[in-house]
Amino acid sequence: MSSDERLQNPLTDALCEAVLLLKSKEECYRFFEDIATVAEIKALAQRLEVAKMLQRNETYTAIGEVTGVSTATISRVKRCLNFGADGYQLILRRLQEQRIEEN
């Protein structure tokens, strides 16, 4: 599935290209600290953790307790996992592959 065409424009293209230039975790921290608020970064991190936990079939209650997100956020992430652009699926698969390679 492709990304939402409403997102695609020269500005978001440039943002994606900039993110692809980051070469380390430290560079990511520096870039995201400058481009987003702490709350925005934490929200993105929480959503990724929610996706990981949903993939492990954990309950909404457990996910909420660990991440602090609302059931609405959990539902939205679940909807994206099942019917989205496969972005979560892509990164979750790559994270799993990375864990396998590290072991």
Side-chain angles (χ1 to χ4, degrees), residues 48 51 86-97:
L48 179 57
D86 290 336
Y88 279 122
Q89 298 293 351
L90 173 70
I91 200 64
L92 293 174
R93 185 172 50 253
R94 289 190 181 161
L95 288 168
Q96 178 65 27
E97 290 167 359

Side-chain angles (χ1 to χ4, degrees), residues 63-82:
I63 294 169
E65 287 173 359
V66 169
T67 65
V69 302
S70 68
T71 55
T73 297
I74 299 168
S75 294
R76 183 180 189 292
V77 172
K78 185 173 185 175
R79 192 170 43 255
C80 289
L81 274 170
N82 294 326

Side-chain angles (χ1 to χ4, degrees), residues 2 9 15 20 24 39 47 62 81 86 95 100:
S2 64
N9 64 49
L15 175 61
L20 290 170
S24 68
R47 289 176 185 178
L81 274 170
D86 290 336
L95 288 168
I100 291 169

Side-chain angles (χ1 to χ4, degrees), residues 30-48:
R30 291 169 52 194
F31 178 70
F32 282 105
E33 185 177 338
D34 284 349
I35 201 165
T37 66
V38 170
E40 290 166 336
I41 297 165
K42 285 184 175 184
L44 293 172
Q46 286 172 320
R47 289 176 185 178
L48 179 57

